[in-house]
């Protein structure tokens, strides 16, 4: 019964995948699987699933091998060589559920969906990472326009700093004022020329004579008063 089931399944698969299936031997063949990625501008990824029947198939799982098409353009979100183990593990549950019946079509469908979902998940992760980076940049930019929240602690800290700054400014201004006064007091006297000294001498002599006349006038007034 095993071999008859294998032949029957192979004929059915040939009608489903007329252009995608290639025989390797009587019990082994390869199916080309083209992925359909929504809104994907890249060349559709192509996987090659090699199926080989053991003698006990379908009561025993088929031997499966996954590879990339030699002429396929590498996809940025799927690397068959690196992802094949992960993708083939996705078939374990399907194989267990279908033991005893033809399962290759179901395995192809499950594998195709798993690969497409893997690509979508990776694309979504990139978009999410980009959005988070944009949001983080916006938050940093917005911090420039946000003041520090005012609390009792922040106000007291600001007040202490403000008063300290005002006191330092007052002290600095006072020191500058005293320095200016000191400069004014120790300024060197102006040196006079000989002519200026001579003129000042005459003026002083004239002042002395005026003072003597004033004394004489005062004495004369006192004498008149006594008479």
């Amino acid at each position: 019964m095993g071999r008859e089931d294998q032949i029957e399944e192979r004929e059915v698969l040939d009608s489903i995948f007329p252009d995608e299936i290639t025989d390797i031997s009587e019990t082994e063949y390869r199916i080309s699987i083209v992925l359909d990625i929504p809104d994907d501008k890249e060349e559709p990824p192509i996987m090659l699933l090699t199926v080989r029947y053991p003698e006990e198939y379908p009561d025993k799982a088929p031997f499966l091998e996954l590879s990339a098409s030699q002429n396929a353009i590498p996809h940025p979100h799927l690397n068959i060589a690196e992802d094949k183990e992960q993708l083939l593990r996705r078939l374990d549950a399907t194989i267990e559920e279908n033991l005893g019946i033809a399962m290759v079509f179901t395995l192809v469908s499950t594998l195709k969906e798993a690969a497409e979902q893997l690509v979508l998940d990776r694309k979504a992760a990139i978009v999410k990472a980009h959005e988070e980076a944009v949001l983080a940049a916006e938050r940093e930019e917005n911090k420039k326009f946000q003041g520090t929240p005012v609390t009792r602690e922040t106000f007291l800290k600001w007040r202490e700093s403000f008063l300290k700054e005002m006191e330092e400014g007052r002290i600095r201004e006072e020191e500058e004022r005293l320095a200016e006064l000191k400069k004014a007091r120790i300024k060197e006297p102006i040196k006079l020329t000989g002519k200026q000294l001579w003129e000042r001498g005459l003026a002083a002599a004239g002042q002395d004579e005026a003072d003597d006349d004033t004394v004489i006038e005062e004495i004369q007034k006192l004498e008149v008063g006594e008479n």
Side-chain angles (χ1 to χ4, degrees), residues 127-138:
V127 172
K128 182 178 180 181
H130 175 71
E131 291 176 348
E132 290 177 350
V134 171
L135 290 175
E138 289 179 353

Side-chain angles (χ1 to χ4, degrees), residues 42-99:
E42 305 292 335
E43 188 75 17
I46 300 176
M47 304 186 301
L48 300 178
L49 178 64
T50 301
V51 181
R52 180 165 60 86
Y53 291 139
E55 186 177 350
E56 298 87 354
Y57 179 85
D59 294 328
K60 184 178 179 180
F63 297 106
L64 303 175
E65 178 60 33
L66 189 63
S67 61
S69 174
Q70 293 181 352
N71 299 323
I73 299 176
H75 194 278
H77 306 303
L78 185 68
N79 187 318
I80 304 300
E82 296 179 358
D83 298 327
K84 66 179 182 178
E85 296 298 331
Q86 176 185 174
L87 292 171
L88 289 175
R89 283 196 301 270
R90 300 282 187 92
L91 301 178
D92 291 343
T94 304
I95 292 172
E96 290 296 324
E97 294 171 358
N98 290 273
L99 285 175

